[in-house]
Structures are given as C-alpha cells and as structure tokens.
Amino acid sequence: AYQSQMKLLLRLRKPSAALQIYEAMEQLFQNDLGARPSAATRRMAEMIRQDPRAVVLMRAEEAIQAREE
C-alpha cells in the first residue's frame, strides 16, 4: 500500500510527498514493530532521492512553498 501511494505521488510529480510518506512509514514501522520497510520500498525511496528529475521537482516544490509563506 505504501509503495502504491509513493508511485502515485511520483506520477503526480510530487517526489517530496512520496518521501514524506516513506519517512512516516519508516518511523511507524520502527516505533510500532521494531522493523524496517521492505528492501524494495527502501530502494524506491533511495531511487527518488538519487533521481536528478526528482531532485529538480523537489527543489521546485520547496521554492513554491517558500513563496507561499
């Protein structure tokens, strides 16, 4: 379910939101289960972080948020 949410957010060109979902899930898993997300989900988050296109989109999202504040 989390991977599906992350994929949807990527399709919507919202990589920051996808990483926020991942980070919330990672904390939830650690706190409640003492576990980590699956290797596939961790790889997906890392790919988002490393993808130059995602980095550009995240910077654009940050700039928009800064202007709105």
Side-chain angles (χ1 to χ4, degrees), residues 16 20 58-69:
S16 295
Q20 286 175 345
M58 287 187 286
R59 287 184 183 146
E61 289 174 351
E62 290 170 1
I64 290 168
Q65 288 175 353
R67 280 186 273 172
E68 292 175 350
E69 293 176 352

Side-chain angles (χ1 to χ4, degrees), residues 25-37:
M25 174 203 36
E26 184 178 42
Q27 184 149 8
L28 179 72
F29 277 34
Q30 183 62 43
N31 292 343
D32 292 354
L33 306 172
R36 298 173 68 194

Side-chain angles (χ1 to χ4, degrees), residues 7-57:
K7 287 177 185 176
L8 174 62
L9 289 165
L10 287 173
R11 286 188 197 118
L12 295 172
R13 301 175 57 95
K14 298 187 177 286
S16 295
L19 288 175
Q20 286 175 345
I21 293 289
Y22 173 79
E23 290 163 3
M25 174 203 36
E26 184 178 42
Q27 184 149 8
L28 179 72
F29 277 34
Q30 183 62 43
N31 292 343
D32 292 354
L33 306 172
R36 298 173 68 194
S38 71
T41 305
R42 292 193 313 267
R43 276 193 306 273
M44 180 186 292
E46 191 57 33
M47 286 180 3
I48 295 168
R49 288 185 186 107
Q50 299 297 322
D51 185 338
R53 294 167 297 181
V55 171
V56 169
L57 288 171

